[in-house]
Amino acid sequence: MGKHKKKKMNQEILVVEDETAIRSMINFSLSRAGFQVKEAKNVEQAKEQINNKSPDLVLIDWMLPDESGLELAKSIKQDEVTKGIGIIMLTAKAEERDKIAGFESGADDYVTKPFSQHELVARIKAVLRRTSYGEEEQLVSGPIVIDLKSYRILINDEEVHFGPTEFKLLKFFIMNEGRVYSRSQLLDRVWGRSVFVEERTVDVHIRRLRSILEKYDLNDAIKTVRGAGYRFDL
Ligand code: CA
């Protein structure tokens, strides 16, 4: 048997912690659990990382050298583009009122130091299940089924080939059905902020996506919202 490389969607976790030893330990156990791990040692670095590419979840230490981890959590949850990112606050504070402040900042969960690596991984998986489609195998909208395990798209049970960008676009639209996205938001979320692409590139790929969908009488699925952007609705 030849070597088999499994395609897997590794979910990305950003660990924001100023203590190197704890950061490395968390990185080690999360990597072992199959996550892609990025690190930041303060709020500034964390914001840079998030702007560059949205992770699926951010683990935030409460006490950070430049700003409070709570402020970082708030800013993530207040930004339209990043508010879907899961947040777990990490802290030595175990008092009830701190916990409340943590949740008010928009954190999805709260882990008190010292914690076991096993517990941390379990909590992360639970938050990811609530905040993303990461654990799901299929995304379904009307006659469209996206199989996330095999990266295949079926329409009316027939496999349809999409280019990589059209694939990502359609997946994004189905995950966010009914919401309007501007071209620049689509660039951020589908292409990633680190990539420089002109806004009209979005239109090109929308056109390609529409022309594929048209063959299945789904040409109306992607709506142009005047002055706002695009919305997927089936
Ligand atoms: Ca700290």
Side-chain angles (χ1 to χ4, degrees):
M1 290 265 287
K3 265 189 187 169
H4 236 66
K5 213 172 182 184
K6 236 185 179 174
K7 250 190 194 170
K8 206 173 142 196
M9 288 215 313
N10 281 329
Q11 286 176 299
E12 212 175 277
I13 316 287
L14 174 63
V15 181
V16 192
E17 161 69 80
D18 55 320
E19 278 169 75
T20 312
I22 298 179
R23 208 170 59 231
S24 308
M25 180 187 73
I26 294 173
N27 189 335
F28 177 77
S29 46
L30 296 190
S31 302
R32 204 176 44 182
F35 295 109
Q36 259 198 333
V37 185
K38 292 213 168 138
E39 297 184 11
K41 58 183 181 191
N42 55 39
V43 171
E44 194 194 345
Q45 279 189 2
K47 284 183 173 170
E48 262 175 38
Q49 296 255 28
I50 294 166
N51 281 342
N52 192 35
K53 188 173 180 283
S54 288
D56 296 288
L57 184 141
V58 192
L59 208 56
I60 306 173
D61 184 33
W62 190 303
M63 305 291 267
L64 292 164
D66 51 350
E67 252 186 280
S68 154
L70 271 189
E71 293 307 314
L72 175 62
K74 272 185 206 159
S75 73
I76 293 171
K77 289 296 180 182
Q78 281 164 4
D79 184 334
E80 195 59 35
V81 176
T82 56
K83 69 179 187 189
I85 297 174
I87 294 179
I88 294 181
M89 294 297 300
L90 212 59
T91 181
K93 297 182 180 183
E95 293 171 37
E96 210 49 44
R97 63 189 163 87
D98 294 327
K99 227 171 238 183
I100 291 165
F103 285 122
E104 279 175 350
S105 75
D108 298 287
D109 203 358
Y110 189 102
V111 176
T112 308
K113 291 175 185 173
F115 50 85
S116 78
Q117 301 299 303
H118 180 79
E119 181 194 4
L120 183 62
V121 170
R123 297 281 199 97
I124 286 175
K125 285 183 175 167
V127 169
L128 285 172
R129 265 197 297 275
R130 295 203 301 269
T131 57
S132 74
Y133 292 80
E135 299 278 316
E136 302 211 356
E137 301 194 350
Q138 290 188 333
L139 291 173
V140 182
S141 179
I144 306 172
V145 176
I146 301 186
D147 189 320
L148 296 171
K149 299 285 169 198
S150 64
Y151 282 85
R152 291 190 315 158
I153 296 181
L154 306 174
I155 302 180
N156 300 328
D157 296 322
E158 183 191 321
E159 185 170 357
V160 183
H161 292 280
F162 288 82
T165 304
E166 285 70 48
F167 184 99
K168 282 198 279 183
L169 251 182
L170 185 59
K171 180 177 158 224
F172 178 80
F173 275 136
I174 291 182
M175 284 174 74
N176 298 283
E177 189 161 352
R179 288 187 55 183
V180 181
Y181 288 93
S182 69
R183 288 169 181 80
S184 79
Q185 283 174 323
L186 287 172
L187 281 178
D188 281 351
R189 305 281 296 264
V190 179
W191 277 259
R193 288 190 193 178
S194 55
V195 186
F196 180 78
V197 196
E198 288 186 65
E199 290 197 357
R200 62 165 176 259
T201 306
V202 175
D203 301 328
V204 172
H205 289 281
I206 294 272
R207 233 178 355 254
R208 283 189 199 156
L209 187 53
R210 273 181 176 151
S211 80
I212 300 172
L213 295 175
E214 222 165 78
K215 294 175 196 151
Y216 301 87
D217 286 324
L218 299 169
N219 38 316
D220 201 29
I222 301 167
K223 278 129 184 127
T224 304
V225 183
R226 273 183 75 123
Y230 295 105
R231 188 183 75 230
F232 182 88
D233 234 324
L234 263 187

